[in-house]
Amino acid sequence: MSMTCDEFRDLLHDHHAGELVVEIKEKFEVHRTSCKHCGPLHETYTHTVRITAKLPKGGPLPPAAEARLREVLKDYLDK
Ligand SMILES: [Zn+2]
């Protein structure tokens, strides 16, 4: 059974934390490479995580990164 976009979104954080088991990770990858919504979402998420990883712990998101993430998530949720 393939993953839905909702499931994919729920797994984004765990994926980046390296917490997905292999079977789920495979489904995640299949969905990421085949879904026109989730591919770009994943890219933006990855980019944002990289930016925020460089910030002091507990610091706020850079306004530009937060705005971009919100924009992408909004497009995604409104589809
Ligand atoms: Zn999707």
Side-chain angles (χ1 to χ4, degrees):
M1 206 177 112
S2 62
M3 186 174 278
T4 66
C5 292
D6 281 346
E7 287 171 333
F8 183 92
R9 199 175 60 234
D10 286 346
L11 289 170
L12 268 176
H13 175 77
D14 286 350
H15 178 261
H16 278 275
E19 289 171 357
L20 296 186
V21 295
V22 175
E23 305 90 83
I24 305 288
K25 204 170 184 171
E26 279 170 9
K27 286 185 188 174
F28 184 94
E29 288 301 317
V30 168
H31 190 97
R32 179 175 71 79
T33 52
S34 62
C35 181
K36 68 181 194 308
H37 299 292
C38 295
L41 176 73
H42 179 265
E43 246 173 63
T44 303
Y45 186 89
T46 304
H47 185 66
T48 306
V49 167
R50 282 202 191 118
I51 292 169
T52 55
K54 290 174 184 164
L55 298 173
K57 284 246 184 289
L61 277 178
E66 185 178 349
R68 175 77 184 125
L69 185 61
R70 281 184 194 281
E71 186 185 314
V72 170
L73 287 172
K74 180 176 166 296
D75 288 351
Y76 182 84
L77 294 169
D78 285 351
K79 81 174 185 327

